[in-house]
């Protein structure tokens, strides 16, 4: 007689997951004092897409990771998916507790203080912003012109030699957009900034790779827009834009590559529609985050090795160009250590999520402790940022972190440095300049913030 164990039951995993999501969401709404840029919002969004959405797709007939290459690779099993889903639920509970604790601690601290939010000890300096923009903007324009793919223009024939594929060259293509974001943060959505940022985002969306170059700036733009208008949640028309951006995310690479190859609008539309059909059926590769996490957990167990944080040491050498040090350790080199021929995750450039990264380094105990501490720290910074002026360095710096959290949850804690400091280098340099040369707040500077925090 066929028996189904709890550990192998996808239906049970889905029911448990939906229950956990519902309970954690209610508790966070009641006690966590959520708003658009609270770290819990992005994590709930990530969890919803990665776990229940994937379980439903598998139950509806979608193939698990590696299945379509049957006989060559080892397909991810349902028991592996259930294990990963239960672990993701446990992390959601742990982080929910941390976010609520941080909220209550902040309430106690605020009761000892009186008055309205102040500008804080360090205030943004327009001079610092323009120093960075004056240098970064033209470099970014050159980067896009020489390295990027601009519709209607042929890329100039230039040979950069061994530096052709250097990430130091590639990141310059984002500097124009990041410079515009810094100016939008200060001046607001002026037409002379909105038009060029729109052109920039259009160009980035057509690069055919690295979709974060368009998505992350869009998230930051949304956060700036809501903060300047003192809104805790996006209005309906902004939600519609968010949904459209989510749908565009899946075919964005294909759209960019086809546009570069000279495909017609009809051909691009047909291909994009087919991709969205796969998304609706749960068959798109971007929907296999849970599968990749599940596979990595199994491979880590088979390897029988913990790294105890040594994977993060690669961050120390990451600024050194590979052209100067060909054997420089890669940021994801550890994935090739536990990948196998039947599951070549490292060679295929797959992810393991921040949960898998913590498991690789510290096992289950590390997942519990570090996920709690990470969530608590993020919420603490969040509350302090929103008790400060909109023009404070703390608020500006926090939003740089907040807009990148989707990458951190997806790729691991190393992304907190890579995406915030490296990929947003002009903006992180602005923060650094204020650290070494802080500016006192000026009298009469407007203070933007949430209208009020929910009482608790």
């Amino acid at each position: 007689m066929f028996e189904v164990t709890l550990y192998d039951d996808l239906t049970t995993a889905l029911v448990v997951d939906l229950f956990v999501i519902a309970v954690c969401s209610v508790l966070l709404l009641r006690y966590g004092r959520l708003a658009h840029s609270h770290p819990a919002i992005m994590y709930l969004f990530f969890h919803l897409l990665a776990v229940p959405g994937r379980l439903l797709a598998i139950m509806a007939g979608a193939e698990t990771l590696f299945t379509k290459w049957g006989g060559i690779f080892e397909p991810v099993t349902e028991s592996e998916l259930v294990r990963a889903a239960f672990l993701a639920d446990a992390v959601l509970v742990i982080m929910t507790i941390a976010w609520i604790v941080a909220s209550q601690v902040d309430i106690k601290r605020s009761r000892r203080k009186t008055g309205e939010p102040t500008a804080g000890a360090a205030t943004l300096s327009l001079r610092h912003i323009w120093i960075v923009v004056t240098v970064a903007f033209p470099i970014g324009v050159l980067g896009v012109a020489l390295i990027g793919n601009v519709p209607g223009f042929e890329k100039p024939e230039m040979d950069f030699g061994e530096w052709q594929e250097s990430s130091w060259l590639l990141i310059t293509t984002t500097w124009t957009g990041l410079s515009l974001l810094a100016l939008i943060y200060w001046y607001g959505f002026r037409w002379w900034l909105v038009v060029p940022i729109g052109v920039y985002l259009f160009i980035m969306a057509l690069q055919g790779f690295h979709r974060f170059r368009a998505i992350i700036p869009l998230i930051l733009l949304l956060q700036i827009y809501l903060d300047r208008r003192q809104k805790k949640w996006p209005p309906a028309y902004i939600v519609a834009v968010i949904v459209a951006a989510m749908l565009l995310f899946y075919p964005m690479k294909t759209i960019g590559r086809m546009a570069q190859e000279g495909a017609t609008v009809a051909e691009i539309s047909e291909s994009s529609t087919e991709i969205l059909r796969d998304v609706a059926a749960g068959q798109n590769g971007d929907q296999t985050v849970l599968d990749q996490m599940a596979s990595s957990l199994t491979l880590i167990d088979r390897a029988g090795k913990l790294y105890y944080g040594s994977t993060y040491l690669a961050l120390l050498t990451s600024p050194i160009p590979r052209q100067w040090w060909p054997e420089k350790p890669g940021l994801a080199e550890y994935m090739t250590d536990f990948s196998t021929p039947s599951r070549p995750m490292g060679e295929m450039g797959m992810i393991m999520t921040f949960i898998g990264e913590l498991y690789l380094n510290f096992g289950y105990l590390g997942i519990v402790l570090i996920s709690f501490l990470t969530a608590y720290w993020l919420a603490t910074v969040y509350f302090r940022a929103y008790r400060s002026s909109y023009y404070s360095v703390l608020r500006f710096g926090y939003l740089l972190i907040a807009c990148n959290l989707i990458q951190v949850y997806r790729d691991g804690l190393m992304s907190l440095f890579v995406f915030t400091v490296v990929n947003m280098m002009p903006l992180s340099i602005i923060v650094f300049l204020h650290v070494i040369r802080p500016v006192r707040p000026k009298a009469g500077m407007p203070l933007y913030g949430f209208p009020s925090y929910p009482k608790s």
Side-chain angles (χ1 to χ4, degrees):
M1 183 176 179
F2 179 75
E3 294 183 0
V4 179
T5 65
L6 175 66
Y7 197 66
D8 296 326
D9 189 0
L10 284 177
T11 303
T12 301
L14 178 61
V15 171
V16 171
D17 180 66
L18 292 176
F19 176 77
V20 169
I21 292 173
V23 172
C24 289
S25 298
V26 170
L27 290 174
L28 285 168
L29 287 169
R30 175 64 182 86
Y31 301 107
R33 296 181 296 156
L34 302 185
H36 68 84
S37 59
H38 190 289
I41 296 300
M42 195 60 74
Y43 188 73
L44 285 170
F45 174 77
F46 169 75
H47 185 98
L48 281 168
L49 290 180
V51 183
R54 186 56 181 165
L55 292 176
L56 280 169
I58 298 296
M59 293 170 64
E63 295 179 335
T64 62
L65 184 65
F66 297 124
T67 297
K68 66 180 180 181
W69 298 293
I72 301 177
F73 299 135
E74 176 190 357
V76 171
T77 64
E78 291 187 359
S79 62
E80 290 178 289
L81 289 169
V82 172
R83 177 200 182 189
F86 283 156
L87 186 56
D89 288 339
V91 169
L92 177 56
V93 171
I94 292 167
M95 297 180 78
T96 296
I97 293 172
W99 285 320
I100 292 175
V101 170
S103 175
Q104 300 308 304
V105 170
D106 179 75
I107 289 174
K108 292 178 181 178
R109 286 174 178 167
S110 65
R111 285 173 180 169
R112 303 191 194 108
K113 301 176 182 179
T114 59
E116 295 297 319
T118 61
T123 301
L124 284 175
S125 163
L126 183 58
R127 181 174 181 272
H128 289 357
I129 292 174
W130 272 109
I131 287 174
V132 174
V133 169
T134 302
V135 176
F137 186 87
I139 292 177
V141 171
L142 284 175
V144 172
L146 300 178
I147 304 172
N149 297 293
V150 182
F153 296 90
E154 290 189 7
K155 188 185 302 185
E157 295 291 336
M158 295 193 66
D159 184 9
F160 292 97
E162 60 182 5
W163 290 85
Q164 187 71 37
E165 302 300 325
S166 171
S167 59
W168 279 103
L169 284 179
L170 290 176
I171 63 174
T172 61
T173 60
T174 66
W175 286 13
T176 296
L178 295 175
S179 298
L180 291 170
L181 284 169
L183 295 177
I184 289 173
Y185 191 91
W186 182 275
Y187 292 106
F189 291 81
R190 309 288 181 87
W191 69 267
W192 51 276
L193 294 173
V194 171
V195 171
I197 195 66
V199 173
Y200 166 81
L201 291 174
F202 176 74
I203 292 174
M204 288 298 104
L206 295 180
Q207 294 305 296
F209 66 100
H210 290 173
R211 289 168 292 186
F212 73 86
R213 297 178 189 272
I215 298 300
I216 298 302
L218 275 174
I219 295 174
L220 182 54
L221 276 174
L222 172 62
Q223 292 169 337
I224 294 172
Y225 178 86
L226 295 176
D227 272 10
R228 291 189 69 89
R229 283 156 180 76
Q230 303 184 51
K231 293 182 180 294
K232 295 180 67 175
W233 304 107
Y237 65 92
I238 294 294
V239 173
V241 174
I242 294 172
V243 172
M246 289 174 57
L247 293 176
L248 180 62
F249 169 82
Y250 293 102
M252 189 180 292
K253 286 183 180 179
T254 300
I255 292 172
R257 291 167 184 166
M258 292 183 69
Q260 293 168 29
E261 294 169 0
T264 65
V265 174
E267 291 171 336
I268 293 174
S269 178
E270 181 180 354
S271 179
S272 299
T273 301
E274 184 62 32
I275 291 174
L276 292 178
R277 288 198 192 101
D278 288 341
V279 172
Q283 299 282 10
N284 188 272
D286 289 313
Q287 297 172 291
T288 62
V289 172
L290 184 65
D291 304 54
Q292 295 178 56
M293 172 186 164
S295 176
S296 65
L297 294 175
T298 298
L299 293 176
I300 292 167
D301 287 341
R302 291 176 182 175
K305 174 185 177 182
L306 296 180
Y307 283 72
Y308 299 105
S310 61
T311 60
Y312 303 119
L313 295 177
L315 292 173
L316 299 176
T317 59
S318 63
I320 303 174
R322 193 167 292 277
Q323 289 70 24
W324 295 352
W325 184 9
E327 303 303 320
K328 182 184 74 170
L331 292 177
E333 195 170 280
Y334 55 86
M335 290 197 70
T336 60
D337 292 344
F338 62 75
S339 294
T340 64
S342 62
R343 287 188 177 176
M345 294 186 63
E347 291 76 5
M348 289 186 171
M350 293 185 177
I351 60 169
M352 57 195 304
T353 77
F354 90 103
I355 298 174
E357 181 189 78
L358 294 181
Y359 185 67
L360 174 72
N361 280 285
F362 308 107
Y364 287 115
L365 181 60
I367 291 177
V368 173
L369 292 177
I370 298 179
S371 62
F372 180 91
L373 293 174
T374 300
Y376 182 86
W377 175 76
L378 286 171
T380 299
V381 176
Y382 161 81
F383 286 120
R384 291 180 179 176
Y386 278 90
R387 292 194 183 283
S388 300
S389 162
Y390 170 84
Y391 288 100
S392 68
V393 178
L394 181 57
R395 176 82 70 90
F396 180 78
Y398 172 75
L399 288 183
L400 300 189
I401 295 174
C403 70
N404 284 292
L405 284 179
I406 189 68
Q407 293 289 159
V408 175
Y409 297 143
R410 177 184 179 271
D411 296 338
L413 294 182
M414 280 199 291
S415 296
L416 193 59
F417 174 84
V418 174
F419 280 87
T420 305
V421 178
V422 179
N423 289 331
M424 303 191 85
M425 190 174 294
L427 302 184
S428 61
I429 289 177
I430 290 175
V431 175
F432 177 73
L433 284 178
H434 286 84
V435 171
I436 61 176
R437 292 184 64 88
V439 177
R440 293 179 178 275
K442 296 180 180 179
M445 179 169 285
L447 302 177
Y448 293 102
F450 294 146
S452 64
Y453 283 109
K455 303 300 180 183
S456 182

